[in-house]
Amino acid sequence: MTAPEEPPLTGPRLDYGPANDADGTRVVRAGLPAEEPYEPPLPGPVFAAHYHLPGEVEGAPYAYGRDANPTWSRLEQALAELEAPGDPDAEVITFSSGMGAISAVLFSLARPGQTVVLPSDGYNQLAEMRERLEGLGVQVRTARTGGDAQLAEVDEDVSLLWLETPCNPGLDVCDIRKLADAAHERGALVAVDNTLATPLGQRPLLLGADISVASGTKALTGHGDVLLGYVATRNQQVAAAVRAWRKTVGAIPGPMEAWLAHRSLATLDVRTQRQAGNALAVAEALTARPEVRDVRHPGLSDDPSHPLAARQMSRYGCVVSFTLADEAHANRFLSQLRLVDNATSFGGVRSTAERRGRWGGDQVPDGFIRLSVGVEDSADLVTDIRRALDEAAG
């Protein structure tokens, strides 16, 4: 008799509270104010450097434009509802970019003499972060995502464990719950870069992490026209430190960017569902090509990360990675694509791809391709990719 399949650790039908709304309903209404007659459901962006401020500053909801803005407040409330549904202690602090959010966590929480563990195969700007942290007297260790490498680095000296899962661009997955439990036993905080999964694909705070960080530039907003980042946490001390960092360095989001991000949340569920399905179809088509090596997507049943991803994630994301023979082969392939733009970033409604080696910061082969799958018709995408591969081979 076979054992029953283990249920997902997070997913779209967890008990979120009395309403128990599914994600598709939640994202449409997240962060909206109470209905007012003849007013728009989502009020427009508030452009203000200062506000009328009678009396004392303490307790004032809005006093100065670097501290708070009603447009950010609505977006932050919406994101808190998605990152930790039904939890009144969840807080979100938005930033002008994903790097603003990453920097705020690392530089507000890490102190000289403390030790931070970063992924060695994560977002390439983490290498820059390592240099800056070490320059401030912070000890930095690195470990590859997945397996026991990260677990081996977590000891009593570590104050912050930084995870990225799935990691970018290699798409390996690590066990958030297992690593968070180990880190907490040793007194460390755990932050998870959740950019690729989005809060509809994975909820780090519900898996034991202290902090969830994401670039809203990617799938969260999904249209390639906004730079944004955010930090989510249920730890009040962490939230205060991160918010103070934002105020000090002025890494605030613009009201128009915040409003565009909130507007885009309404389609997050349908976009990411479609993208995940398209990405799996593309990945399966790529595995059938003899000239394509090392196809990775957590949704592939034979992907090394699939068993854990199936337990930890409720959808597998839009990114597919694979390798062609060399730089020239990869560039020929990219030049022949009709429906896939040669561009960096990922998560947009329009498919994009690039040879990651051109940036010089990722430890990948010269022919390594990161493909972000959009919402186009999946059959058209597969046809275009197959044709471009044929042309590149010829």
Side-chain angles (χ1 to χ4, degrees):
M1 181 176 179
T2 59
E5 187 173 322
E6 187 169 355
L9 299 177
T10 182
R13 293 299 295 178
L14 294 178
D15 183 8
Y16 294 149
N20 197 30
D21 289 336
D23 281 344
T25 300
R26 187 177 299 281
V27 295
V28 171
R29 298 190 171 275
L32 296 184
E35 293 182 5
E36 293 286 346
Y38 319 115
E39 293 295 323
L42 177 61
V46 174
F47 299 98
H50 62 268
Y51 305 85
H52 293 297
L53 185 61
E56 300 303 317
V57 175
E58 186 176 356
Y62 303 104
Y64 185 62
R66 195 175 69 248
D67 297 317
N69 177 290
T71 310
W72 310 346
S73 296
R74 284 188 286 268
L75 174 62
E76 289 172 347
Q77 178 58 41
L79 293 171
E81 291 174 19
L82 299 182
E83 286 281 351
D87 189 339
D89 293 330
E91 296 184 62
V92 166
I93 304 96
T94 50
F95 289 84
S96 52
S97 68
M99 280 306 300
I102 290 171
S103 299
V105 173
L106 290 173
F107 292 122
S108 69
L109 299 181
R111 299 286 183 269
Q114 293 182 331
T115 300
V116 172
V117 178
L118 301 178
S120 60
D121 52 355
Y123 180 46
N124 58 22
Q125 287 299 304
L126 287 177
E128 178 90 5
M129 291 292 100
R130 177 179 184 172
E131 291 183 12
R132 294 187 177 276
L133 287 167
E134 290 176 336
L136 296 172
V138 178
Q139 304 297 314
V140 180
R141 303 175 188 169
T142 61
R144 288 192 63 82
T145 300
D148 294 327
Q150 288 169 302
L151 190 63
E153 293 294 339
V154 180
D155 57 28
E156 285 73 11
D157 294 331
V158 173
S159 63
L160 177 65
L161 172 64
W162 186 278
L163 307 176
E164 185 178 306
T165 181
C167 67
N168 168 33
L171 303 181
D172 283 315
V173 172
C174 63
D175 191 326
I176 296 174
R177 176 77 69 187
K178 181 179 180 180
L179 288 163
D181 287 346
H184 291 157
E185 287 177 3
R186 294 159 177 81
L189 293 171
V190 177
V192 177
D193 186 330
N194 199 43
T195 299
L196 198 148
T198 82
L200 298 194
Q202 180 173 262
R203 290 189 167 101
L205 299 184
L206 301 189
L207 292 167
D210 303 286
I211 304 160
S212 178
V213 184
S215 169
T217 308
K218 311 298 194 297
L220 191 84
T221 53
H223 291 78
D225 53 8
V226 171
L227 287 176
L228 196 83
Y230 72 90
V231 174
T233 184
R234 296 187 287 191
N235 185 314
Q236 292 183 352
Q237 291 180 317
V238 168
V242 170
R243 188 173 288 107
W245 178 267
R246 178 181 69 178
K247 177 179 179 178
T248 301
V249 301
I252 59 174
M256 177 58 78
E257 286 79 5
W259 183 85
L260 286 170
H262 199 167
R263 176 214 59 176
S264 297
L265 284 183
T267 60
L268 180 62
D269 180 60
V270 293
R271 284 189 285 108
T272 55
Q273 289 277 22
R274 172 85 171 213
Q275 287 173 291
N278 282 357
L280 184 57
V282 166
E284 289 172 342
L286 287 168
T287 60
R289 300 288 302 210
E291 75 272 40
V292 176
R293 306 193 311 271
D294 301 326
V295 179
R296 297 298 305 273
H297 179 67
L300 287 170
S301 60
D302 60 350
D303 188 276
S305 292
H306 179 72
L308 176 56
R311 294 177 53 232
Q312 188 168 275
M313 304 175 70
S314 55
R315 60 193 70 175
Y316 300 117
C318 63
V319 177
V320 179
S321 69
F322 59 97
T323 303
L324 296 175
D326 52 31
E327 177 180 340
H329 193 170
N331 287 335
R332 290 197 304 272
F333 164 71
L334 293 169
S335 69
Q336 294 298 325
L337 291 165
R338 182 177 67 88
L339 299 178
V340 183
D341 298 333
N342 192 336
T344 195
S345 197
F346 59 85
V349 292
R350 289 173 287 278
S351 295
T352 60
E354 69 170 339
R355 191 183 68 82
R356 283 300 291 176
R358 65 182 178 176
W359 293 96
D362 296 301
Q363 298 177 8
V364 295
D366 288 339
F368 182 94
I369 300 288
R370 185 183 70 184
L371 172 60
S372 172
V373 183
V375 300
E376 301 92 347
D377 181 84
S378 61
D380 288 343
L381 283 173
V382 168
T383 298
D384 187 43
I385 290 167
R386 284 173 173 161
R387 181 195 52 77
L389 286 169
D390 290 339
E391 295 290 336

